[in-house]
Amino acid sequence: MKKLFPFVLVVLFLACDSDENKAGRFLIKGNEALGKGDYNEAVRLYSEAIAKNDQYVEAYNNRGVANYKDGKYIEAIIDYTQILIQINPDFTEARRNRVNAYLDAGRYEKALEDLVELERVFPDSAFVDFSRGLVYHEMKEFNLSIAAFEKSYEKDNSNPETLVNVANGYYMIRDFDKAKETLQLAIGLDATEPNSYNTMALIATEEKNYPLALSQVEEALSLDGANPFFLNNRGYIHLLMNNLESAEKDIRRAIIGAPENPWAYRNRGILFFMQNRFTDAVRNFQQAAKYDENIPRLNFYWASALNELGRNKEACERVAYLKNKESQESKALVAKVCN
């Protein structure tokens, strides 16, 4: 989702140098720093504005935006909450921004509560349903996510990103035909939306059509060449095609671009496993698990690497986390490491 963070610009016509006017000047300077991506300086300037006027909703809101963009989600939530509880409960920009902060902080129920409040004010808003779809997707409630995105699309059928998110939901529940059908609609709406091709690549990968997967992710990268998630997906396809040198380059760039993406660490772990660098593989699997230990294939390769290192007790403990315990591959691994 291309998240929006409303922040307020002010123009001052100064007759005297009151605290209110000083606060306004600090807000303007903070906005300039925020626009340049200097988030620490923006926070400092907004804090100066608040020191001059502790009821300055625009300064709290914009400081929340700066904190959010700097990855300080809790600090952002505190700023938005200060507005909504202490100053102006009807300041909807703060509530919209707080939804995004709750989402990225993993506080999904709180995000849903704010969306209920926003829906009362904006009953016809596609944004509310879109955001609800994002929350449900992160909660792995994929059917609810699909329904929310489809409702958003009914209200605004001009946004191809909504259709891509519907398709992503179908991909997660492995309804690939429905996902592909939806992606074709998205491409018809906007053929320059790169996420459509990336999701197509994911589906082709699951269907083991690796040449098609590679061509689709290349199309995505032609539209957004520095996207670390697309690079990571291409790296994984290269792994499956045994193009290890190409895989290593893509995965390294993916980790630099998105250092908290667990899928990239999983992929680098698989790369090291294929290179017989089992200790390095385990270290990367552990890093991936810090963010999400339920990623497909993570625990299979992790247990396999532990087994190669002779750490059979740990390997046997790790196979308990396998997602598909009934597959022949999983059963063979369990028999190998737990006997």
Side-chain angles (χ1 to χ4, degrees), residues 108 135-143 145 172 292 294 323:
Y108 305 129
V135 175
Y136 283 137
H137 189 91
E138 290 301 313
M139 295 173 71
K140 297 181 170 50
E141 296 282 357
F142 299 119
N143 286 309
S145 176
M172 294 304 296
D292 185 353
N294 294 312
K323 291 181 69 66

Side-chain angles (χ1 to χ4, degrees), residues 82-97:
Q82 176 71 17
I83 296 170
L84 294 167
I85 292 181
Q86 299 294 335
I87 304 175
N88 183 359
D90 297 323
F91 196 78
T92 55
E93 290 89 345
R95 196 173 299 278
R96 288 180 62 175
N97 288 340

Side-chain angles (χ1 to χ4, degrees), residues 19-298:
D19 279 349
E20 184 175 349
N21 290 335
K22 291 176 183 177
R25 289 204 298 275
F26 279 121
L27 181 74
I28 291 172
K29 291 178 181 178
N31 291 346
E32 291 172 354
L34 180 61
K36 295 175 182 176
D38 189 349
Y39 304 130
N40 286 334
E41 179 65 5
V43 167
R44 185 188 72 79
L45 290 164
Y46 293 137
S47 297
E48 292 281 3
I50 291 166
K52 297 297 182 185
N53 178 3
D54 64 2
Q55 299 296 296
Y56 205 167
V57 293
E58 293 85 357
Y60 279 111
N61 183 69
N62 293 9
R63 188 171 72 177
V65 172
N67 275 318
Y68 178 93
K69 288 181 175 292
D70 201 26
K72 298 175 181 176
Y73 306 131
I74 301 305
E75 289 88 341
I77 290 167
I78 291 170
D79 280 334
Y80 302 138
T81 302
Q82 176 71 17
I83 296 170
L84 294 167
I85 292 181
Q86 299 294 335
I87 304 175
N88 183 359
D90 297 323
F91 196 78
T92 55
E93 290 89 345
R95 196 173 299 278
R96 288 180 62 175
N97 288 340
R98 192 169 69 172
V99 167
N100 292 324
Y102 276 143
L103 174 60
D104 285 335
R107 301 181 65 179
Y108 305 129
E109 294 298 336
K110 299 296 290 184
L112 291 173
E113 289 175 12
D114 269 353
L115 287 169
V116 169
E117 292 300 316
L118 285 169
E119 193 168 36
R120 289 174 183 159
V121 180
F122 305 109
D124 298 321
S125 170
F127 164 83
V128 171
D129 294 304
F130 191 107
S131 298
R132 190 174 280 129
L134 291 176
V135 175
Y136 283 137
H137 189 91
E138 290 301 313
M139 295 173 71
K140 297 181 170 50
E141 296 282 357
F142 299 119
N143 286 309
L144 292 176
S145 176
I146 291 167
F149 285 124
E150 287 180 337
K151 189 175 180 182
S152 177
Y153 187 69
E154 289 173 5
K155 295 175 179 178
D156 177 10
N157 63 6
S158 66
N159 185 2
E161 195 175 354
T162 308
L163 289 173
V164 174
N165 279 286
V166 172
N168 286 336
Y170 282 124
Y171 166 77
M172 294 304 296
I173 63 174
R174 302 187 68 80
D175 188 342
F176 298 148
D177 288 340
K178 198 69 172 164
K180 286 186 280 189
E181 177 185 329
T182 306
L183 288 168
Q184 289 299 334
L185 291 174
I187 292 169
L189 196 60
D190 182 0
T192 66
E193 170 51 63
N195 288 290
S196 298
Y197 304 103
N198 182 61
T199 303
M200 284 285 201
L202 294 174
I203 295 168
T205 301
E206 289 294 320
E207 295 178 335
K208 302 187 186 306
N209 188 342
Y210 304 135
L212 176 60
L214 188 58
S215 69
Q216 293 285 6
V217 78
E218 293 282 10
E219 185 68 29
L221 284 163
S222 74
L223 296 164
D224 186 0
N227 188 300
F229 300 99
F230 299 170
L231 288 167
N232 183 58
N233 291 343
R234 187 173 68 179
Y236 182 58
I237 295 164
H238 279 308
L239 280 179
L240 296 171
M241 298 177 75
N242 206 36
N243 301 329
L244 300 191
E245 185 176 346
S246 296
E248 187 164 14
K249 290 177 182 177
D250 278 342
I251 295 167
R252 181 176 65 251
R253 290 176 62 194
I255 290 175
I256 292 170
E260 296 184 357
N261 179 11
W263 295 79
Y265 293 105
R266 182 210 66 172
N267 291 348
R268 188 163 68 174
I270 295 173
L271 171 68
F272 288 148
F273 180 87
M274 295 173 73
Q275 294 173 330
N276 296 326
R277 296 169 57 183
F278 302 119
T279 299
D280 291 333
V282 169
R283 186 177 69 252
N284 277 270
F285 295 141
Q286 290 170 334
Q287 184 68 23
K290 289 180 181 179
Y291 302 106
D292 185 353
E293 68 177 357
N294 294 312
I295 298 173
R297 307 293 289 168
L298 169 64

